[in-house]
């Protein structure tokens, strides 16, 4: 049992998903999905504990030895990502019943739970697998179910809108282009190395071969360069790195609240994980950052992305859309951390994956509470809501402070690492930009605070009451966690630092 | 000449890939976008199948001899890319089905599948 944990983590939600379709009965399906999600979270905790205790775990599917068989490989980074993806999956699902009762048509609830479990399977699978083609398959499992989840907003969404369909369609087109780029990249790498196993590929890329009479390393060939280009563009599309983020704002705005909370907290983070694996485990930082200028490119794009997306966020009147643009900016911070390629920068990037997942997850859950009571996500409808829904708005404000990066919140820890990494390199303009962009975050968070606490409620919202406690508990679980991990950093930042050092160590 | 004739399959792949990619970007009709997406994906299937082919190699099936002449085969094509692509084809079919299902729903909701008209309707609201 113990040694089969890695595969159980994937198999359990994968089998539970079709069961949901067979059972159909709403309460039973919810019970099943909830039990599975929390069980998966428990397994992820056990895996992280084992990895921290005794180092990397490998698991061979069906007993076929790598590199021929598919191998699951869990190091500190993957265990850490598994932990927060499954944790957020469990908390968000606990939040779901009341929220989807309002936002998704009743006869489609079992489909929601099915897609949710499939999406979770895909995201966990991407993180755990050590095989590139397997990664592509899991990526498509998670993406296809994400498209379906977003389109659920069209039949019962609050406010009911057919735009969810167009948003899902655009995401499908962009997502498929991204995934196909990744597939092309994997194919070209396979062509040059003859293997799909990431660890084996890393070794073979550094071997010397004879091509047309001259000797060179495999990773000096043009095929590998092209493969890397396809992979990095494809992954950037999936992680919504500026300027490839166009699918994200509409998808997040028109999806049901629960779906937005889940996808915003996990999907783009897992894509960042793929990028980290590609750069540091497969091709090596020397290839990506020294032979190719990926670090400069990431830094320039992320800095433009941070500023443009934050400024765009300030001018939004729909709060979900505002938070979506803020997500694009936060992906910028993560990419910025990667571009430093130093222990501090990488720690900042990895810890911000975790912190931003908690913050954005919590904020979108608070939005779910507001939608339940207000039936709207417009800023105008939030006027005076701070007095009628004090607990929800308090959670929102704490989350907003996390986005800004106020000390004692988790957001501060990430920015601290990013700024110290920038100063360590002597790039003080970058550090200044990170600080200035926090001011932009102050501006968009303040607009909501001002409307909620300092303006009078419009008459039609005079009767609005606080959200039910069962929804506030999961919201506070995530929002509370941003404070806990802002003060008690040994877990999040400690594990992230270990993961970052392991990543930098394997690259020669 | 070797670059053109010897890499014949790859030129087909690139031609299809660019055609599909162009159709996805340039066409405003949602169905045509999906067709473009399909062409784009299929070019990648061809890429994989091409790379698995070994010149003079036969299908890797036992017994390794010609069933009429009894001649023993020595070289085999690599079966793995073809197998991988079976999976990718399934993914492609699922994506197309998903896209078409969405288009049906979009047509129900908007009464059109022309992107410009849909965006115009959204702006009017």
């Amino acid at each position: 049992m113990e040694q089969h944990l890695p595969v159980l983590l994937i198999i359990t939600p994968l089998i539970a998903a079709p069961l949901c379709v067979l059972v159909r009965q709403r309460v039973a399906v919810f019970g099943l999905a909830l039990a599975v999600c929390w069980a998966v979270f428990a397994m992820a905790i056990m895996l992280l504990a084992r990895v921290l205790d005794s180092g990397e775990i490998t698991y061979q599917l069906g007993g076929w030895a790598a590199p021929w068989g598919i191998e699951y490989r869990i190091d500190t980074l993957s265990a850490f990502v598994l932990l927060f993806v499954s944790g957020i999956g469990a908390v968000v699902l606990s939040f779901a019943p009341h929220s989807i009762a309002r936002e998704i048509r009743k006869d489609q609830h079992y489909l929601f739970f099915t897609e949710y479990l499939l999406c979770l399977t895909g995201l966990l699978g991407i993180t755990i697998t050590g095989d590139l083609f397997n990664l592509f398959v899991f990526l498509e499992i998670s993406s296809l179910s994400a498209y379906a989840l977003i389109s659920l907003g069209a039949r019962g969404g609050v406010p009911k809108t057919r735009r969810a369909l167009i948003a899902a369609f655009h995401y499908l087109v962009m997502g498929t282009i991204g995934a196909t780029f990744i597939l092309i990249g994997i194919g070209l790498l396979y062509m040059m190395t003859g293997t799909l196993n990431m660890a084996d590929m890393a070794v073979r890329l550094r071997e010397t071969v004879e091509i047309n009479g001259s000797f060179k390393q495999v990773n000096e060939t043009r095929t590998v360069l092209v493969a890397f280009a396809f992979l990095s563009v494809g992954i950037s599309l999936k992680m919504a790195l500026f300027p490839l983020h166009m699918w994200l704002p509409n998808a997040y705005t028109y999806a049901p609240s629960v779906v937005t909370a889940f996808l915003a907290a996990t999907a783009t983070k897992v894509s960042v994980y793929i990028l980290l694996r590609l750069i540091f485990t497969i091709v090596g930082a020397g290839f990506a950052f020294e032979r190719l200028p990926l670090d400069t490119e990431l830094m320039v794009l992320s800095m433009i992305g941070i500023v443009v997306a934050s400024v765009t966020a300030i001018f939004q009147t729909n709060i979900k859309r505002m938070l979506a643009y803020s997500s694009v900016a936060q992906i910028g911070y993560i990419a910025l951390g990667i571009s430093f390629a130093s222990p501090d920068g990488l720690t900042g990037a990895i810890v911000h994956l975790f912190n931003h997942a908690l913050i954005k997850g919590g904020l979108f859950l608070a939005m779910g509470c507001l939608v339940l009571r207000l039936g709207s996500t417009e800023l105008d409808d939030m006027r005076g809501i701070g007095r009628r829904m004090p607990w929800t708005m308090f959670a929102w404000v704490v989350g907003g402070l996390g986005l800004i990066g106020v000390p004692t919140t988790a957001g501060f820890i990430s920015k601290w690492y990013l700024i110290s990494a920038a100063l360590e390199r002597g790039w003080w303009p970058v550090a200044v930009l990170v600080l200035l962009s926090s001011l932009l975050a102050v501006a968009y968070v303040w607009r909501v605070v001002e409307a909620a606490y300092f303006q009078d409620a419009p008459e039609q919202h005079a009767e609005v009451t606080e959200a039910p406690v069962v929804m506030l508990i999961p919201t506070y679980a995530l929002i509370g966690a941003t404070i806990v991990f802002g003060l008690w950093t040994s877990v999040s930042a400690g594990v992230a630092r270990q993961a970052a050092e392991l990543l930098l160590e394997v690259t020669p | 000449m070797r670059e053109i004739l010897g890499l014949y399959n790859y030129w087909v792949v690139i031609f299809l890939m660019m055609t599909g990619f162009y159709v996805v970007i340039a066409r405003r009709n949602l169905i045509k976008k999906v067709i473009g997406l399909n062409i784009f994906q299929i070019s990648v299937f061809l890429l994989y199948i091409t790379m698995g082919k070994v010149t003079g190699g036969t299908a890797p099936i036992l017994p390794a001899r010609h069933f009429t002449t009894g001649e023993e085969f020595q070289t085999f094509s690599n079966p793995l890319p073809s197998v991988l692509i079976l999976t990718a084809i399934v993914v492609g079919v699922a994506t197309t089905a998903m896209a078409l299902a969405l288009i049906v729903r979009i047509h129900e909701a908007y009464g059109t599948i022309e992107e410009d008209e849909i965006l115009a309707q959204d702006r009017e609201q």
Side-chain angles (χ1 to χ4, degrees):
Chain A
M1 181 70 191
E2 178 83 12
Q3 79 268 24
H4 291 300
L5 266 185
V7 75
L8 281 174
L9 187 84
I10 305 300
I11 290 285
T12 321
L14 188 62
I15 291 183
L19 279 181
C20 288
V21 181
L22 292 177
V23 174
R24 282 200 177 215
Q25 206 276 329
R26 276 195 302 133
V27 179
V29 166
F30 172 65
L32 175 68
L34 193 68
V36 166
C37 281
W38 283 101
V40 165
F41 184 39
M43 288 186 239
I45 294 175
M46 281 151 80
L47 277 177
L48 180 65
R50 269 178 62 191
V51 169
L52 290 179
D53 191 44
S54 52
E56 196 174 62
I57 303 173
T58 55
Y59 180 88
Q60 291 161 350
L61 273 124
W64 296 94
W68 297 283
I70 292 173
E71 178 189 46
Y72 284 175
R73 188 177 272 265
I74 308 152
D75 62 3
T76 312
L77 176 64
S78 31
F80 188 54
V81 177
L82 285 175
L83 177 81
F84 76 73
V85 169
S86 58
I88 283 177
V91 173
V92 171
L93 196 74
S94 315
F95 175 92
H98 281 75
S99 183
I100 61 171
R102 172 94 200 253
E103 295 182 47
I104 298 175
R105 239 173 45 177
K106 285 225 161 42
D107 57 333
Q108 291 183 326
H109 281 190
Y110 73 99
L111 290 173
F112 164 79
F113 290 115
T114 312
E115 302 291 354
Y116 190 93
L117 287 175
L118 281 177
C119 193
L120 184 69
T121 310
L123 295 172
L124 295 172
I126 293 170
T127 318
I128 208 170
T129 189
D131 183 279
L132 264 182
F133 197 80
N134 201 225
L135 184 145
F136 164 75
V137 174
F138 279 125
L139 182 73
E140 283 292 28
I141 292 177
S142 69
S143 310
L144 283 167
S145 44
Y147 311 145
L149 281 171
I150 290 166
S151 72
L152 283 175
R155 281 249 163 99
V158 177
K160 190 172 175 172
T161 176
R162 53 192 182 175
R163 289 188 196 189
L165 296 171
I166 292 289
F169 185 81
H170 279 158
Y171 183 20
L172 184 141
V173 170
M174 299 285 271
T176 307
I177 291 174
T180 310
F181 269 39
I182 294 174
L183 186 62
I184 296 170
I186 294 172
L188 295 175
L189 282 179
Y190 175 73
M191 206 178 207
M192 294 312 291
T193 59
T195 182
L196 288 165
N197 184 290
M198 295 183 201
D200 192 31
M201 186 177 279
V203 175
R204 292 193 185 204
L205 278 173
R206 290 165 183 76
E207 280 171 1
T208 310
V209 289
E210 188 193 342
I211 293 162
N212 296 340
S214 62
F215 287 90
K216 49 174 153 181
Q217 277 197 331
V218 179
N219 64 16
E220 285 170 355
T221 57
R222 198 182 294 161
T223 315
V224 174
L225 290 182
V226 174
F228 186 72
F230 270 115
L231 280 167
S232 46
V233 173
I235 296 167
S236 304
L237 238 171
K238 280 288 186 187
M239 70 186 234
L241 181 69
F242 181 87
L244 299 172
H245 66 282
M246 300 311 290
W247 58 267
L248 186 143
N250 279 342
Y252 283 13
T253 310
Y254 301 121
S257 306
V258 187
V259 175
T260 310
F262 180 59
L263 292 181
T266 56
T268 47
K269 312 294 174 298
V270 169
S271 306
V272 175
Y273 167 85
I274 309 178
L275 186 68
L276 288 172
R277 273 278 168 262
L278 171 71
I279 294 177
F280 294 99
T281 306
I282 300 176
V283 297
F287 177 82
F289 294 151
E290 283 158 32
R291 283 206 52 218
L292 295 175
L294 186 70
D295 52 346
T296 323
E297 197 175 22
L298 275 180
M299 177 173 294
V300 171
L301 287 181
S302 60
M303 293 207 302
I304 300 174
I306 291 170
V307 175
V308 172
S310 300
V311 171
T312 318
I314 295 176
F315 294 100
Q316 299 305 315
T317 56
N318 183 324
I319 305 305
K320 265 172 108 177
R321 185 180 288 274
M322 183 196 96
L323 291 175
Y325 276 106
S326 151
S327 276
V328 177
Q330 305 293 323
I331 288 292
Y333 289 119
I334 295 167
L336 185 66
I338 299 173
S339 74
F340 291 132
S342 65
D344 267 350
L346 210 50
T347 308
I350 296 170
V351 83
H352 198 53
L353 283 181
F354 176 76
N355 291 340
H356 179 241
L358 291 177
I359 295 169
K360 232 359 122 33
L363 276 169
F364 275 120
L365 287 188
M367 286 310 296
C369 296
L370 291 168
V371 169
L372 181 83
R373 289 299 190 228
L374 294 176
S376 162
T377 53
E378 292 295 319
L379 184 63
D380 277 350
D381 289 311
M382 287 177 73
R383 278 177 294 164
I385 202 66
R387 265 154 285 158
R388 307 202 185 271
M389 299 174 71
W391 287 98
T392 308
M393 269 324 287
F394 182 70
W396 204 102
V397 172
V398 174
L401 293 177
L403 277 185
I404 298 166
V406 174
T408 76
T409 63
F412 175 72
I413 307 297
S414 338
K415 290 203 174 144
W416 175 263
Y417 275 107
L418 288 179
I419 291 174
S420 43
L423 292 178
E424 183 190 50
R425 286 276 166 111
W427 294 334
W428 58 267
V430 178
V432 171
L433 183 115
V434 171
L435 287 173
L436 283 180
S437 65
S438 301
L439 287 180
L440 295 174
V442 173
Y444 59 73
V445 170
W446 175 253
R447 287 178 69 223
V448 176
V449 173
E450 204 243 331
Y453 288 99
F454 300 103
Q455 290 183 12
D456 288 327
E459 285 196 0
Q460 73 266 30
H461 295 316
E463 301 298 309
V464 168
T465 52
E466 184 56 80
V469 180
V470 282
M471 288 171 81
L472 287 174
I473 292 171
T475 311
Y476 272 89
L478 291 185
I479 291 294
T482 67
I483 300 289
V484 170
F485 291 110
L487 297 171
W488 182 50
T489 58
S490 64
V491 173
S492 56
V495 174
R497 169 155 289 265
Q498 190 185 336
E501 278 166 2
L502 281 173
L503 280 182
L504 289 169
E505 194 177 279
V506 290
T507 51
Chain B
M1 269 323 260
R2 207 177 135 260
E3 268 70 36
I4 297 169
L5 293 177
L7 301 175
Y8 169 77
N9 269 34
Y10 291 100
W11 289 112
V12 174
V13 167
I14 304 236
F15 176 75
L16 283 177
M17 195 181 280
M18 291 304 120
T19 311
F21 200 38
Y22 175 78
V23 172
V24 177
I25 294 169
R27 293 288 149 175
R28 309 297 285 170
N29 181 308
L30 301 184
I31 296 274
K32 288 182 182 167
K33 263 188 195 297
V34 174
I35 293 173
L37 208 57
N38 265 309
I39 298 174
F40 182 52
Q41 287 181 309
I42 284 166
S43 74
V44 184
F45 303 164
L46 279 182
L47 172 73
Y48 270 71
I49 293 165
T50 305
M51 76 172 81
K53 176 69 182 166
V54 175
T55 316
T58 182
I61 304 168
L62 291 173
R65 61 183 65 219
H66 199 280
F67 69 103
T68 47
T69 60
E71 162 202 10
E72 291 249 357
F73 291 123
Q74 298 301 325
T75 44
F76 300 96
S77 287
N78 183 353
L80 187 71
S82 313
V83 176
L84 294 179
I85 248 31
L86 279 179
T87 316
I89 289 172
V90 174
V91 169
V93 169
T95 311
T96 310
M98 179 79 212
L100 292 176
L102 278 173
I103 292 175
V104 170
R105 293 272 305 278
I106 289 170
H107 188 255
E108 281 171 10
Y110 289 86
T112 175
I113 53 166
E114 292 293 334
E115 200 174 17
D116 296 332
E117 293 171 23
I118 292 167
L119 294 179
Q121 284 190 32
D122 274 346
R123 264 194 301 274
E124 276 167 28
Q125 278 181 342

